[in-house]
Amino acid sequence: MDSIIDNRLKENSNSKSNTEEDLLDVLLAMSNVSRVQVKVLLLDIISAGAETTPDTIVRAITELVRHPNIIERLQSELDDVIGKERLVEEADLNNLEYLQAVVKETLRLHTVVGLGIPHFSTEATKVSGYDIPANTQVMLNYYAINRDAKVWKNPLKFDPSRFLNSPVDVRGHHYVLLPFGAGRRRCPGMNLALVNVAYNIAQLIHACPISLPEGLTHLDVDVEEKFGMTVARGNPLNLLIKRRLPLDVYRRAGLQLSGV
Ligand code: HEM
């Protein structure tokens, strides 16, 4: 981290106009932020963002291969909205209603930050009849909230259609679904994560159909979980990926394909 910061300070002092500022440039230019604070902040962002997004994408792909009817419906939405002459772009994501439902259902059923990040009460308070004394560590069980059978019908079933025509969102406004937490300590990477998760699923399903290795069917795919910093998929997911669109579409996007 120190050498990255030193190199950046050197680069910035050599070039007169830095038109492409990133977060590090902004932090280094702030006189009230110390070097230690810059390092802590960057490490916080890297560690919080590094596993959560890929874990969520893997959990979504797992559920998709377990449910061929859901993949089919998603693929047909992608074909209707995008066609087969180009790849999905970020601007398309809000026009893909079923894709967004798949993302929400993945975040609900596979809440990768299961217990959130520990909070601390600065004063005594009461929540839903429970007394919480001052100076107490408070953990929120988002994993349980998002699977609560009192709220969700068939809570363990992966069913994106429960979000079609539903006002419930994942952004912390509906307390029955909190994959990113809520309030001031809500995940600051949420918007980036939502785009990344949706974009990667859409690209894969639209341009590279996935299938299971020979001899396996969708019934063989497990949903074992591994609890650690995040709740990740427990076993490796082995898939075959093929080409689905005309070769030219990939070439125009600068993608190198081999063996297709
Ligand atoms: C699907 C992906 C992600 C999920 C599900 C997720 C979820 C969460 C949750 C539940 C929390 C704790 C909120 C609480 O304690 O109330 C959190 C905190 C945090 N997340 Fe994310 N996150 C994701 C991606 C990211 C990304 C991509 C970044 C950064 C680029 C990020 C940065 C952070 C940081 C810095 C915190 C700590 C905030 C604080 O302590 O105030 N997260 N995240």
Side-chain angles (χ1 to χ4, degrees):
M1 193 61 78
D2 272 318
S3 65
I4 294 174
I5 294 177
D6 287 337
N7 285 341
R8 182 60 64 86
L9 286 170
K10 215 182 294 165
E11 276 168 31
N12 288 358
S13 67
N14 289 342
S15 69
K16 288 190 186 69
S17 65
N18 183 355
T19 45
E20 290 210 1
E21 260 190 345
D22 64 15
L23 178 65
L24 180 54
D25 296 316
V26 174
L27 290 172
L28 292 175
M30 291 171 78
S31 54
N32 56 348
V33 177
S34 71
R35 187 181 177 113
V36 170
Q37 285 171 323
V38 172
K39 286 201 284 188
V40 169
L41 195 72
L42 291 183
L43 280 176
D44 203 20
I45 292 173
I46 292 167
S47 57
E51 285 189 20
T52 45
T53 306
D55 280 351
T56 303
I57 295 168
V58 170
R59 306 307 286 282
I61 301 301
T62 303
E63 290 294 2
L64 291 174
V65 287
R66 279 162 50 83
H67 296 91
N69 56 329
I70 296 180
I71 284 208
E72 219 169 275
R73 183 160 177 190
L74 180 56
Q75 215 157 43
S76 122
E77 176 181 74
L78 288 160
D79 288 347
D80 286 350
V81 176
I82 318 294
K84 289 193 173 168
E85 297 304 317
R86 67 175 178 89
L87 296 177
V88 180
E89 289 165 14
E90 192 181 326
D92 297 314
L93 298 178
N94 285 338
N95 302 326
L96 296 161
E97 192 192 2
Y98 193 65
L99 170 73
Q100 295 298 343
V102 167
V103 172
K104 286 181 191 171
E105 180 64 341
T106 305
L107 289 162
R108 184 193 69 79
L109 187 55
H110 301 295
T111 302
V112 294
V113 188
L115 297 177
I117 289 180
H119 292 237
F120 194 74
S121 60
T122 49
E123 52 187 70
T125 186
K126 211 176 185 108
V127 178
S128 301
Y130 292 94
D131 288 315
I132 299 179
N135 303 323
T136 305
Q137 182 169 297
V138 180
M139 313 271 301
L140 286 134
N141 193 342
Y142 298 131
Y143 186 93
I145 290 172
N146 298 344
R147 292 173 170 219
D148 187 351
K150 285 197 232 85
V151 174
W152 303 102
K153 201 172 155 201
N154 294 329
L156 301 186
K157 183 171 183 226
F158 184 78
D159 178 13
S161 65
R162 69 172 91 235
F163 287 107
L164 297 175
N165 306 313
S166 157
V168 177
D169 196 24
V170 289
R171 294 172 179 270
H173 307 302
H174 301 97
Y175 294 159
V176 292
L177 181 61
L178 295 170
F180 295 102
R184 274 194 303 177
R185 296 285 304 281
R186 185 187 68 179
C187 172
M190 181 184 71
N191 287 329
L192 175 65
L194 283 171
V195 169
N196 248 326
V197 171
Y199 188 59
N200 277 286
I201 300 171
Q203 284 281 22
L204 193 66
I205 301 304
H206 179 239
C208 314
I210 42 181
S211 55
L212 291 163
E214 217 181 310
L216 295 183
T217 78
H218 65 282
L219 300 173
D220 297 313
V221 182
D222 70 85
V223 279
E224 288 298 312
E225 297 184 318
K226 186 178 69 190
F227 287 79
M229 281 283 284
T230 57
V231 188
R233 191 180 150 71
N235 299 314
L237 180 66
N238 295 317
L239 296 174
L240 301 171
I241 291 184
K242 295 195 193 117
R243 171 170 76 83
R244 183 163 178 267
L245 308 176
L247 258 180
D248 189 46
V249 174
Y250 305 85
R251 287 206 188 109
R252 270 188 276 129
L255 296 174
Q256 304 263 338
L257 297 184
S258 60
V260 289

